[in-house]
Each structure stands twice: as C-alpha cells, then as structure tokens.
Amino acid sequence: MAWVLVVAWSLLLPVWTGGVISRIGFGSCNKQWKYNPHWEHVEQWEPEIWIWTGDAIYLSSDQGDSLEVGAVERALLELQRHQPYLKATKSAHVLGVYDDHDYGMNDAGRHLNYRAESAKAYLGFLGVPVTSPRYHRAGLWHSQEFGNCLLYTSPSPRDS
C-alpha cells in the first residue's frame, strides 16, 4: 500500500511550465502483459500527471515469483513499450512509488536479495535521472511542485 498526498492551491507558481494542473491520474495493480481497456479511458482523459501507487508491473504467470532483478527489468521494459500505456501517458508527467510486485515477488519485503536493484530499475522506469539523490536513499519518497499542486509520494514501509 502506498500513500499519496495531493495538496492543491490556487496560486500559480513558476515551478511547473505546464500551468494549472487540472487532471491527475492514479493507477496500480497493472498486469502489463494483458489487454487493459482502462488505458483507452486514461488516454481520452489526458492526465497531466500520472501516479503509480504501487504494482505497476506483475511478473507473468509463466515467470512466477522472480528470484532475480532481470525479470523485474524486463517487465518494466515491457510496460514502457506497451502502446496503450504509451498513448495514455504521452502528455503526462509520470511519478510513482513501488510495492511488492514492483520488486518482483508477491509480499516481497526486506529479505528480498535484490530489493535495492529493483528500486533502481523502477526509478529508471519513471525516468528519474541517474544523478538524482533518490537513487541513494531508502524508499522512493518524493515531493514535487506542479504550479497549483504539491505532490508527495511515499511507499508504506514493507518490513515483512
């Protein structure tokens, strides 16, 4: 479970060049290998910001739970190349936090050997520059101003 706090106000701040934010989309529990009709609705709605609130990917049923980060990287790449997702998020700034399946395993927690590598792969998926301090801290918490919006994303600590 991820927590996302969205605070909106009427002042226009010169931080976000896109102007006033009026459409923010949220999504989770996406099986990237399946046809998902919701992407067509998201595309029509044209979100300016898209926030993954966990489980942007699942490993396909033939992969089972992953025991290596390469499977996670391949699943993230599959989603990045998924045409309905690309169309739906073409004009959106994409943010997100991860959850267990984004690590590559159901109920994955602190005992997962490649947890840090999965987090780095997820940051790459989000388009975060490798020079960002987010690559060097625990968790994917993040705050960012978008004109009339302040977004703070934070994953709940999975400690099991």
Side-chain angles (χ1 to χ4, degrees), residues 59-107:
L59 297 183
S60 62
S61 58
D62 62 330
Q63 290 172 308
D65 282 342
S66 171
L67 296 177
E68 48 98 15
V69 71
V72 173
E73 292 168 339
R74 288 188 296 277
L76 288 167
L77 185 60
E78 182 179 6
L79 178 54
Q80 281 180 312
R81 293 178 176 170
H82 188 65
Q83 287 301 310
Y85 170 71
L86 290 173
K87 289 178 182 178
T89 59
K90 68 179 176 270
S91 60
H93 187 87
V94 179
L95 304 170
V97 295
Y98 52 71
D99 200 10
D100 56 349
H101 288 282
D102 300 311
Y103 285 130
M105 186 178 288
N106 186 38
D107 294 331

Side-chain angles (χ1 to χ4, degrees), residues 1-3 97-100 103 107-111 115 138-141 152-160:
M1 167 75 55
W3 297 97
V97 295
Y98 52 71
D99 200 10
D100 56 349
Y103 285 130
D107 294 331
R110 68 177 173 190
H111 302 293
R115 183 176 177 155
L140 292 185
W141 59 272
Y152 176 76
T153 58
S154 175
S156 65
R158 180 173 289 278
D159 198 24
S160 58

Side-chain angles (χ1 to χ4, degrees), residues 30-83:
N30 179 62
K31 294 182 178 171
Q32 72 283 355
W33 72 89
K34 293 178 78 172
Y35 169 71
N36 295 309
H38 64 271
W39 288 124
E40 295 165 12
H41 299 289
V42 172
E43 180 184 4
Q44 292 172 359
W45 191 59
E46 297 178 329
E48 296 155 299
I49 297 173
W50 177 261
I51 302 173
W52 283 111
T53 59
D55 296 337
I57 59 163
Y58 283 76
L59 297 183
S60 62
S61 58
D62 62 330
Q63 290 172 308
D65 282 342
S66 171
L67 296 177
E68 48 98 15
V69 71
V72 173
E73 292 168 339
R74 288 188 296 277
L76 288 167
L77 185 60
E78 182 179 6
L79 178 54
Q80 281 180 312
R81 293 178 176 170
H82 188 65
Q83 287 301 310

